[in-house]
Amino acid sequence: MNSPILNNLFSRIQLNPRDGRAIYLQLSDGVRTLIKNGQLSAGQKLPSTRDIAKLMEINRITVGKAFEDLQMQGWLESYVGRGTFVTLHIPDLEPKKLQNQVVDKAQKVAGFAVHENQYRHNPYFISTAALHLDDGYPDPKLAPLKELYRAYRNQLTRSGLYRKFGSYGFPDGPEIYKETISRYLNETRGLRTTQKNILSVRGTLMGINLVCTALLKPGDIVVSGIPGWQRAEHNFLHAKAKHIGIPVDEHGLVVDELKKICKRTKVRMVYVTPHHHYPTTVSLRIDRRLELLRLANEYGFIIFEDDYDFDFHYNHRPLQPLASADENGMVIYCGSFSKSFSPAVRMGYLVASENVIEHLTNVRVLLDRQGDHILDNAMADIINDGTIQRYIRKTLAIYGQRRDFFCDLLANELNGAVDFTVPDGGMTVWTEFDKSINLEELARLAYDKGLYISNGKIHQYPSFNKNAIRLGFASSSIEDLTKSIHILKDII
């Protein structure tokens, strides 16, 4: 190379044989960075492949492949007898100071504004602890994963592959799944539906987001219980609705407070978890259920019924959903297999009047053209052959046993430190700790000893500051529950 400047530029391109990428691609990236930084200007002639190969101590063929790659991408132009040049079709950028490293780096900060303050902070934590008293998850060891895998595999080998894989399907879900879910809900929950009342969604959170996007306008009022589920509340605020929280007592949502709000302002939607209120697990008493439906009919608001763990009620049969008594199409019912089957299986459904489902489907296309039809159909298969029903019967007995054992542990081992009511259903115990116990510190020390529990922050509100958390029992064995409580006892 005759030019000491070019010689210096190319010598600073670092090539690493152990990088995992081909050397010619590393060289191509390095030259492209020189051009983007303005260190190689438009129209500038590059050294020959021979000279670059000699300088960088690599094969000339490698340099040639790098130049070919850059020509294909439009960065270089080559002319027979004249050589290779930086293309004229880029602006003549002002050169930047030479740096020790000129190969592209992963971007940490975007060059455009990100309006983070428009969104509520939605933290998440992935636990690696061996033990867990979680938010109320099922035990994946009990789930019929083999049966689901077999049903999914069968979907891949049956006829009609073009219909399944060669084109898009229905945005609201495959017909077999909708028909199956409709029949399943009618038989188990007393609903009166057809497949036109069903919309497949990827879990409860997608259902809430879709309803908020499609049915709420800025300024609309949404009412829900406090304490509640902050993920749902953040969706209300994201839709620019006004959220009003009302109390929850031992009988569920205090509907009389809702009535007062309805008398002075227009309510658009009420979000409720009547079967097992989140997070306290209490059930909405029958008189309040009926009054909630009556108020919806009188004042015209939507009831969004989140029935996240219908199947798991231990002392008696599950309470029928509000949707089963809805005669005027006021309820949007949402269910999910994520809590009853596995959080990793993102599969659920919305149930509503036909015109509402049509509208939600039209909006859903903008977010997600369609769900996983293969997984939906596989789930339909194991519902139709009775697998899910057998699984629920089996786990209901196991989870009931774990609930009783866990509550005995809490009462005997942490006596005086905690206060709780044995839940009629669900997968957690809403546990109030003595005020002298710092839950954030307790969670930190427990995690250091291999046990994950919540620090309680997600259940704190200006109007609600009980020193309480959800302790999930369903996902742990009897042995693990014992170890977990002993860890908490030692710390306390």
Side-chain angles (χ1 to χ4, degrees):
M1 281 183 197
N2 296 324
S3 170
I5 295 178
L6 291 178
N7 186 56
N8 191 18
L9 284 176
F10 277 88
S11 65
R12 289 177 178 270
I13 298 177
Q14 296 183 5
L15 305 178
N16 183 3
R18 293 183 294 275
D19 183 69
R21 299 185 73 232
I23 294 296
Y24 85 91
L25 290 176
Q26 295 182 44
L27 177 56
S28 174
D29 290 345
V31 174
R32 186 176 68 252
T33 300
L34 293 176
I35 298 172
K36 290 165 64 177
N37 288 346
Q39 293 161 304
L40 291 175
S41 58
Q44 184 167 358
K45 184 177 182 180
L46 299 186
S48 68
T49 56
R50 185 189 304 275
D51 288 342
I52 294 177
K54 183 178 180 181
L55 172 70
M56 306 189 73
E57 298 181 347
I58 56 178
N59 193 293
R60 183 181 177 185
I61 296 176
T62 300
V63 181
K65 290 182 66 177
F67 276 20
E68 289 176 6
D69 179 64
L70 289 164
Q71 289 178 52
M72 290 177 60
Q73 296 182 51
W75 293 97
L76 300 182
E77 295 176 346
S78 181
Y79 302 94
V80 177
R82 293 176 54 198
T84 302
F85 300 80
V86 178
T87 182
L88 292 171
H89 304 296
I90 60 172
D92 189 8
L93 301 173
E94 181 180 351
K96 297 181 180 179
K97 293 182 180 180
L98 293 175
Q99 301 173 351
N100 292 332
Q101 178 75 15
V102 298
V103 179
D104 288 346
K105 297 181 180 179
Q107 293 290 338
K108 293 185 178 180
V109 180
F112 51 83
V114 179
H115 304 297
E116 296 179 1
N117 59 347
Q118 293 183 358
Y119 293 83
R120 291 297 181 103
H121 184 51
N122 286 285
Y124 59 89
F125 177 74
I126 309 300
S127 171
T128 58
L131 300 172
H132 41 80
L133 299 175
D134 51 42
D135 195 48
Y137 304 144
D139 187 344
K141 295 189 292 293
L142 302 177
L145 299 178
K146 291 182 179 179
E147 291 82 352
L148 180 63
Y149 165 73
R150 187 181 305 117
Y152 194 94
R153 185 185 59 193
N154 289 340
Q155 289 293 319
L156 306 182
T157 57
R158 291 174 182 167
S159 60
L161 290 181
Y162 178 79
R163 181 174 55 83
K164 294 177 182 177
F165 298 101
S167 62
Y168 288 110
F170 295 108
D172 54 345
E175 290 186 322
I176 293 175
Y177 178 75
K178 291 180 293 185
E179 290 173 357
T180 299
I181 293 299
S182 172
R183 183 171 59 254
Y184 181 68
L185 296 179
N186 293 348
E187 293 173 356
T188 61
R189 289 155 172 78
L191 271 60
R192 300 175 298 278
T193 66
T194 70
Q195 66 164 350
K196 292 183 178 181
N197 299 114
I198 309 297
L199 170 62
S200 171
V201 292
R202 296 180 187 269
T204 301
L205 201 58
M206 180 180 180
I208 294 173
N209 183 272
L210 187 57
V211 167
C212 289
T213 301
L215 295 174
L216 296 185
K217 295 184 297 185
D220 280 349
I221 291 177
V222 179
V223 178
S224 68
I226 298 297
W229 188 26
Q230 289 191 2
R231 289 280 191 265
E233 294 161 9
H234 290 181
N235 267 284
F236 309 151
L237 299 176
H238 178 59
K240 295 182 173 57
K242 180 181 178 182
H243 175 235
I244 299 177
I246 59 176
V248 173
D249 62 18
E250 67 273 21
H251 303 302
L253 193 73
V254 180
V255 179
D256 283 344
E257 293 298 320
L258 172 63
K259 186 188 302 184
K260 295 176 184 177
I261 296 172
C262 290
K263 287 181 177 179
R264 65 175 183 262
T265 189
K266 176 68 175 177
V267 173
R268 175 58 172 167
M269 187 168 79
V270 173
Y271 170 82
V272 62
T273 50
H275 200 206
H276 305 129
H277 173 73
Y278 184 94
T280 66
T281 76
V282 297
S283 297
L284 187 61
R285 201 170 58 190
I286 183 62
D287 58 324
R288 296 187 182 184
R289 289 168 175 259
L290 296 175
E291 179 65 3
L292 179 58
L293 286 168
R294 190 192 70 77
L295 290 174
N297 292 328
E298 181 179 352
Y299 292 102
F301 57 75
I302 303 164
I303 297 176
F304 188 104
E305 181 176 15
D306 180 355
D307 203 2
Y308 62 94
D309 60 358
F310 170 85
D311 295 301
F312 299 101
H313 211 74
Y314 308 112
N315 296 350
H316 49 76
R317 61 180 295 185
L319 303 174
Q320 291 298 297
L322 294 170
S324 67
D326 177 27
E327 298 179 352
N328 297 306
M330 308 307 296
V331 177
I332 297 177
Y333 181 77
C334 184
S336 169
F337 292 105
S338 299
K339 280 292 177 71
S340 61
F341 194 90
S342 166
V345 178
R346 305 309 304 160
M347 188 186 313
Y349 44 84
L350 288 174
V351 183
S353 300
E354 290 183 14
N355 67 318
V356 173
I357 294 299
E358 290 175 2
H359 176 58
L360 294 175
T361 301
N362 185 53
V363 176
R364 187 250 174 87
V365 170
L366 302 176
L367 170 70
D368 183 18
R369 174 56 180 79
Q370 66 186 55
D372 186 342
H373 283 200
I374 305 302
L375 183 58
D376 281 354
N377 284 334
M379 181 60 75
D381 281 352
I382 63 174
I383 291 175
N384 289 329
D385 69 12
T387 296
I388 288 295
Q389 294 85 333
R390 290 190 295 272
Y391 158 72
I392 290 173
R393 287 195 297 270
K394 179 181 74 172
T395 52
L396 186 63
I398 294 174
Y399 292 162
Q401 180 188 15
R402 291 179 181 178
R403 179 204 61 170
D404 295 341
F405 182 82
F406 183 63
C407 288
D408 285 343
L409 279 176
L410 284 174
N412 296 326
E413 301 296 328
L414 300 183
N415 183 32
V418 300
D419 185 31
F420 67 94
T421 300
V422 178
D424 290 335
M427 301 183 185
T428 64
V429 178
W430 177 244
T431 309
E432 186 173 354
F433 285 75
D434 187 89
K435 291 183 178 180
S436 64
I437 298 173
N438 185 314
L439 285 180
E440 191 170 356
E441 182 71 3
L442 179 64
R444 185 186 66 80
L445 293 174
Y447 197 72
D448 289 342
K449 293 178 178 292
L451 167 65
Y452 168 75
I453 62 171
S454 168
N455 62 14
K457 284 186 174 181
I458 62 172
H459 305 311
Q460 296 297 314
Y461 294 80
S463 60
F464 183 90
N465 58 357
K466 284 191 176 181
N467 200 37
I469 56 176
R470 286 163 63 90
L471 296 178
F473 56 81
S475 60
S476 299
S477 66
I478 296 295
E479 180 183 3
D480 286 347
L481 290 173
T482 304
K483 291 178 181 178
S484 299
I485 293 300
H486 284 167
I487 288 174
L488 292 181
K489 181 179 180 180
D490 290 343
I491 296 172
I492 293 174

